[in-house]
Amino acid sequence: VLQNLSQTPVLREMLKEAKMPGTTIKIESPELCMLCCFFFKQEPQLIKLDQPGPLTLAMHQFVTEMQETKKGVVTPKELFAQVCKKAIRFKGYQQQDSHELLRYLLDGMRAEE
């Protein structure tokens, strides 16, 4: 899940922008924008970012480390600690479903907006 998220361009850009509070970002997908604008007259979405929370900052740090080509093994220790604070069920290192991690991670970051 984390490797896939780290390769999501929109998420990477948004996390980079999230480091600078007060920034307004424009979210648009080139493929979807053509269809949405044609059929629904939908404009790109503008979002003003506040101060990022600890989970968002940990996700930014992890994604940045994943993108560094000289870095060897990357461990999401801080990110995991922040997820455990939001979802206690992940403490104890028991096996969890990946879709649960994805849900708690994204919901936790959204709650910090």
Side-chain angles (χ1 to χ4, degrees):
V1 166
L2 294 178
Q3 287 175 331
N4 286 329
L5 287 175
S6 73
Q7 296 302 313
T8 307
V10 172
L11 180 63
R12 283 197 320 255
E13 285 302 311
M14 201 153 108
L15 287 170
K16 191 185 327 178
E17 296 293 328
K19 291 283 289 179
M20 298 173 278
T23 302
T24 300
I25 60 170
K26 179 169 49 169
I27 298 178
E28 60 183 334
S29 170
E31 300 84 19
L32 294 177
C33 188
M34 297 287 267
L35 290 173
C36 290
C37 292
F38 181 77
F39 290 111
F40 305 111
K41 305 292 186 220
Q42 186 175 5
E43 297 293 321
Q45 191 173 20
L46 295 174
I47 298 174
K48 185 172 180 0
L49 300 174
D50 294 326
Q51 181 68 33
L55 181 60
T56 303
L57 289 173
M59 184 64 182
H60 174 267
Q61 178 185 348
F62 174 75
V63 169
T64 301
E65 287 179 13
M66 287 288 290
Q67 295 300 308
E68 292 177 6
T69 55
K70 295 180 182 175
K71 192 102 174 155
V73 176
V74 176
T75 57
K77 189 178 265 187
E78 178 60 26
L79 179 58
F80 182 67
Q82 292 301 323
V83 168
C84 287
K85 287 180 183 179
K86 302 273 184 192
I88 298 171
R89 69 177 9 176
F90 287 99
K91 286 185 178 179
Y93 299 98
Q94 294 179 344
Q95 186 173 348
Q96 302 289 335
D97 291 333
S98 59
H99 73 277
E100 288 181 80
L101 171 67
L102 178 62
R103 190 179 107 219
Y104 283 107
L105 177 62
L106 296 179
D107 284 349
M109 286 172 46
R110 183 183 317 161
E112 292 181 344
E113 287 180 353

